[in-house]
Amino acid sequence: QSSSSGDEALRDRRARILSRGLPKQKPIEGVKQVVVVASGKGGVGKSTTAVNIALALAANDSAKEVGLLDADIYGPSIPKMMNLKGNPELTPKNLMRPLKNYGIACMSMGFLIEETAPVVWRGLMVMSAVEKLLRQVDWGQLDYLVIDMPPGTGDVQLSVSQNIPIAGAVIVSTPQDVALLDAHKGAEMFRKVHVPVLGLVQNMSVFQCPKCKHETHIFGTDGVKDLAKTLGLDILGDVPLHINIRETCDSGQPVVISQPQSDA
């Protein structure tokens, strides 16, 4: 018995030493729940999904206040998708005021730099920018803040996951094997940092020819569904590869707001 209690004390001590290096999680002022939308791989429609999730949360309950944070420093796409331009105003407390469209409060690196200017920064500058986007924005009172993460499992993902309490992560992937490998890594990363994974979204799952209605599984069939089974996770949505979804986001009128009655 003494040996087992000694082991326990040693485990406790180890856990304490390890946790010293981790930042203390501090909620974002005024924000009740944070949902992150992530993908292991780029180009799987993560930002499109994040934008439409934010709009759908607001559409489902008009009493809820929703915000959208673009945490992709190198490739911010929320300004274009949400049809927003301009620089945020500063409050008397020197906090940035989010720009608003369709009732959603939005913040992005894209509001702070020229549209075509590349962000040629090293890691520390990126982390500093993420910290500012998290802590130096006056969100007011939000029921939900949806964070569009950059692709991958790097510094930004870890920093966001360890600095603020997150209600859950949504992982977006196409059914192709290369994307699934990275989505699997993404899910495991969130588990490691104790962020609940709410489930997976299978995007671009099937293409229907507009002329003859023939369906083609361009990226393969049910890959994300198989991964969900492996990981013991839910499939939250199965989104087709549809020109309307792409066109509406590119034109700054996402499909949830511009075509709410359509199948897409």
Side-chain angles (χ1 to χ4, degrees):
Q1 190 170 357
S2 64
S3 132
S4 73
S5 62
D7 285 354
E8 218 164 277
L10 192 63
R11 269 202 301 276
D12 282 354
R13 190 158 167 261
R14 265 197 201 130
R16 273 201 310 278
I17 290 166
L18 283 169
S19 67
R20 266 183 222 158
L22 292 175
K24 287 275 179 285
Q25 282 193 339
K26 188 172 152 225
I28 299 172
E29 202 171 322
V31 176
K32 285 185 190 163
Q33 308 250 35
V34 175
V35 176
V36 299
V37 180
S39 71
K41 193 167 171 44
V44 295
K46 172 185 49 59
S47 296
T48 303
T49 306
V51 161
N52 282 300
I53 284 176
L55 289 163
L57 284 168
N60 277 340
D61 186 346
S62 56
K64 298 283 190 231
E65 290 294 326
V66 182
L68 180 59
L69 172 61
D70 187 351
D72 194 343
I73 304 297
Y74 292 116
S77 42
I78 296 305
K80 185 172 180 61
M81 291 183 176
M82 288 297 286
N83 198 21
L84 285 166
K85 263 191 179 141
N87 302 112
E89 293 173 1
L90 289 178
T91 68
K93 288 185 175 173
N94 229 19
L95 298 175
M96 293 181 284
R97 276 210 181 96
L99 276 61
K100 214 164 186 183
N101 196 11
Y102 309 124
I104 308 288
C106 300
M107 194 62 214
S108 169
M109 190 69 196
F111 302 145
L112 308 175
I113 54 168
E114 288 295 315
E115 197 173 18
T116 54
V119 177
V120 190
W121 287 355
R122 288 189 183 275
L124 280 172
M125 288 172 78
V126 172
M127 298 320 295
S128 164
V130 169
E131 181 69 17
K132 282 187 175 67
L133 291 175
L134 286 176
R135 301 286 176 204
Q136 292 180 22
V137 177
D138 179 11
W139 290 106
Q141 295 298 312
L142 291 184
D143 294 285
Y144 300 108
L145 176 63
V146 177
I147 303 185
D148 178 25
M149 292 280 224
T153 54
D155 285 352
V156 173
Q157 289 82 348
L158 283 170
S159 184
V160 170
S161 306
Q162 290 173 344
N163 273 292
I164 58 172
I166 294 171
V170 173
I171 295 182
V172 182
S173 181
T174 56
Q176 77 189 101
D177 290 350
V178 179
L180 291 166
L181 277 172
D182 292 344
H184 195 153
K185 286 177 194 162
E188 292 300 348
M189 184 210 78
F190 284 119
R191 282 180 170 171
K192 277 210 164 110
V193 292
H194 309 295
V195 170
V197 179
L198 301 173
L200 306 178
V201 171
Q202 177 163 276
N203 197 21
M204 308 186 207
S205 58
V206 64
F207 171 72
Q208 187 183 59
C209 172
K211 289 204 171 89
C212 72
K213 305 296 179 198
H214 176 71
E215 293 194 341
T216 308
H217 291 85
I218 292 171
F219 294 114
T221 320
D222 292 341
V224 179
K225 289 179 180 171
D226 295 341
L227 178 61
K229 265 190 208 138
T230 305
L231 294 170
L233 293 170
D234 292 331
I235 288 279
L236 303 175
D238 193 359
V239 187
L241 178 60
H242 200 293
I243 193 164
N244 279 4
I245 298 172
R246 198 274 303 162
E247 279 181 347
T248 52
C249 254
D250 276 356
S251 66
Q253 297 175 313
V255 71
V256 163
I257 206 90
S258 59
Q259 299 174 10
Q261 302 310 319
S262 68
D263 287 348

